[in-house]
Amino acid sequence: MHRPTATKRKRDRDDTQILYPAPLVLPGDELANDPRYPPQSVRAWQREKDRNVVTPQRNVIYIAAVDEDPETVSSWTHPNLPRQQKQPSRNKTSTLSSSPPAIEDIISYLSAFYHPLHVKPCPIPLTFTNWEDTPDPRKAKPGSRRQGKHTTLPSVAIRTDASKTKIRARSHSPDGLFPIQLDLNDLIDVAIDILPSNAYALLLLVSHDLYEDDEDIFACGRAYGGSRAAVFSTARYNPALDDEQSVDRIHAWPASHCTDYISKTTCKNESKDPNCKTLLPKSHPLHLALSCHLDQAPSRSLVWLIRAALTSAHELGHCFGLDHCVYYACCMQGSASLAEDIRQPPYLCPVCEEKVLLATGADKEGRMRRLVDVAGKWGWGGLEGWCRRILEVRGRGNSEGGREG
């Protein structure tokens, strides 16, 4: 086997730097607010003492969801949209035109993203039920992390076959978009309590709006990496709320790298904008991703699913010990707003990808091919175009540095 020369290794590093853009940092973004956020190198990640290691005994990622009975709890997931939403808007969105993400699709995406680990539905059934202050024959545990000062409501709980955990709620999100919000801390307690013995991590998906502290307007999710548990709410990622939350869906990734957008000019088209372009060469993965994105604009239901898939992968990344990324535009970047969330890419940068490959034992090309398959089935042109071009470039690099003798 011929080892690559120093020149070959340098060329590979330079190729990586060219293929993966730097973080997109606009005013008010996470890195603009905290430009000195410390980087986490691969070596620093490997030396992290509290990092959980995948073992033969703990090698499954579980995705849990809650049955939304009773009906009153289900009604809390419906946003309060203003009447003008019934009229065409810049984002051209209505609640009736999009469906919430299905857990089966989230599992499909995470199975590719964290290949070869198994990603499965949580085997423990979860159901919303009423919380009664009278003694219950089941094991009852009140939410334990914090006693809030918000307006009290009829109490609800999440029930399993073995226990019932109280979930605190407060009326009306501060911005008025949701009638009820659930306490994220109590949901984290549930996720930790139901963690199966063979779980590497568990993600609890909910469709309700959340809050974490009394001062919060809302919270989308949280991961407790050391406890191998995370919670994520899909509520705020509903495209029907984009106008109310100042989310520019037209410039979601990869269109977030549109040169006009970055230079603060306006792309005028509402769906396909021929002027929405990048100055990168046509051979660049981002150029192909943008071209595929414009040729195959995702439906509103797919937009919602993509957002949920990305954030689910991000939160689980913290369970793998990954910190927020500052090296490149990356799925593991921190975010200061929903508007920034959708501008970030679905892929892992080379630094974070190396961490995940080391953690899961995946091969780089095999993982990328599975992402191509999922993106192709969904009609997610941007990710499919990016991954295909990355595979092509890596394939050329491998053939250039092949074996001798």
Side-chain angles (χ1 to χ4, degrees):
M1 174 73 73
H2 174 69
R3 292 190 175 185
T5 63
T7 302
K8 173 64 169 58
R9 288 196 299 269
K10 181 178 187 300
R11 185 168 66 249
D12 286 345
R13 288 196 300 270
D14 291 345
D15 286 347
T16 295
Q17 293 169 1
I18 293 171
L19 292 178
Y20 289 83
L24 181 61
V25 183
L26 301 182
D29 284 356
E30 182 79 5
L31 284 176
N33 296 336
D34 189 7
R36 295 187 178 182
Y37 191 88
Q40 183 195 49
S41 66
V42 174
R43 180 173 296 181
W45 170 80
Q46 290 176 310
R47 292 178 174 177
E48 179 60 51
K49 294 181 180 180
D50 296 330
R51 178 172 63 86
N52 294 305
V53 179
V54 177
T55 68
Q57 293 74 36
R58 290 181 175 177
N59 60 1
V60 180
I61 296 174
Y62 285 104
I63 310 301
V66 189
D67 186 339
E68 292 186 354
D69 286 337
E71 185 176 347
T72 53
V73 177
S74 178
S75 68
W76 295 351
T77 65
H78 302 156
N80 299 319
L81 291 176
R83 291 183 178 180
Q84 56 265 32
Q85 273 283 7
K86 298 179 182 179
Q87 302 298 324
S89 67
R90 184 173 189 276
N91 283 318
K92 295 182 178 179
T93 308
S94 70
T95 49
L96 299 178
S97 59
S98 55
S99 302
I103 188 172
E104 296 81 6
D105 291 327
I106 300 295
I107 289 174
S108 175
Y109 180 76
L110 294 174
S111 295
F113 197 92
Y114 288 111
H115 170 77
L117 297 190
H118 295 292
V119 183
K120 301 178 179 180
C122 181
I124 300 173
L126 304 175
T127 307
F128 277 114
T129 186
N130 295 319
W131 175 268
E132 298 175 359
D133 293 327
T134 55
D136 191 277
R138 301 181 181 87
K139 178 183 177 183
K141 300 175 297 180
S144 59
R145 291 184 179 274
R146 174 179 49 81
Q147 295 299 322
K149 300 179 181 179
H150 49 73
T151 304
T152 57
L153 294 165
S155 298
V156 297
I158 291 179
R159 183 180 61 199
T160 70
D161 292 338
S163 67
K164 188 164 70 170
T165 303
K166 181 178 180 180
I167 307 298
R168 287 164 291 179
R170 69 179 183 184
S171 60
H172 305 296
S173 60
D175 58 6
L177 285 181
F178 284 90
I180 305 292
Q181 292 179 306
L182 301 184
D183 191 305
L184 173 60
N185 299 286
D186 294 342
L187 293 170
I188 282 286
D189 284 341
V190 173
I192 293 173
D193 287 345
I194 66 172
L195 196 69
S197 60
N198 67 335
Y200 178 78
L202 182 142
L203 174 67
L204 174 59
L205 288 175
V206 295
S207 52
H208 296 76
D209 199 30
L210 308 179
Y211 72 98
E212 190 170 12
D213 296 305
D214 289 335
E215 296 76 19
D216 286 342
I217 297 176
F218 66 90
C220 288
R222 178 71 65 189
Y224 283 74
S227 299
R228 299 177 287 126
V231 171
F232 167 55
S233 165
T234 62
R236 291 279 167 164
Y237 291 90
N238 185 346
L241 302 176
D242 285 354
D243 288 344
E244 298 304 311
Q245 299 181 117
S246 301
V247 173
D248 184 358
R249 188 170 68 253
I250 305 303
H251 288 103
W253 184 91
S256 54
H257 290 266
C258 163
T259 52
D260 286 343
Y261 177 61
I262 295 173
S263 62
K264 297 300 181 181
T265 58
T266 303
C267 283
K268 298 179 180 180
N269 194 355
E270 296 300 313
S271 56
K272 282 188 180 181
D273 191 340
N275 296 318
C276 192
K277 59 186 179 181
T278 173
L279 296 179
L280 293 169
K282 291 184 178 181
S283 60
H284 194 282
L286 187 57
H287 189 286
L288 182 59
L290 181 56
S291 177
C292 293
H293 172 76
L294 296 175
D295 289 341
Q296 192 177 6
S299 66
R300 284 180 283 271
S301 294
L302 180 54
V303 166
W304 200 351
L305 174 58
I306 288 172
R307 295 174 180 180
L310 265 62
T311 305
S312 296
H314 176 101
E315 295 299 343
L316 284 170
H318 292 312
C319 293
F320 281 87
L322 274 67
D323 199 353
H324 285 154
C325 180
V326 300
Y327 293 105
Y328 299 87
C330 177
C331 174
M332 288 307 300
Q333 281 181 251
S335 176
S337 66
L338 290 167
E340 183 181 4
D341 267 6
I342 70 163
R343 294 196 299 263
Q344 294 176 350
Y347 58 76
L348 291 170
C349 76
V351 178
C352 294
E353 182 185 46
E354 182 66 17
K355 299 171 189 176
V356 169
L357 295 176
L358 289 170
T360 62
D363 69 279
K364 191 179 295 186
E365 282 69 28
R367 175 182 175 275
M368 193 70 75
R369 283 193 295 270
R370 283 166 175 79
L371 287 172
V372 169
D373 291 342
V374 172
K377 291 177 181 177
W378 288 7
W380 185 359
L383 179 61
E384 184 181 9
W386 170 274
C387 292
R388 285 191 182 280
R389 187 52 52 87
I390 289 288
L391 284 170
E392 290 174 8
V393 174
R394 287 176 175 171
R396 289 198 299 269
N398 290 338
S399 63
E400 289 174 7
R403 304 188 178 191
E404 284 187 5

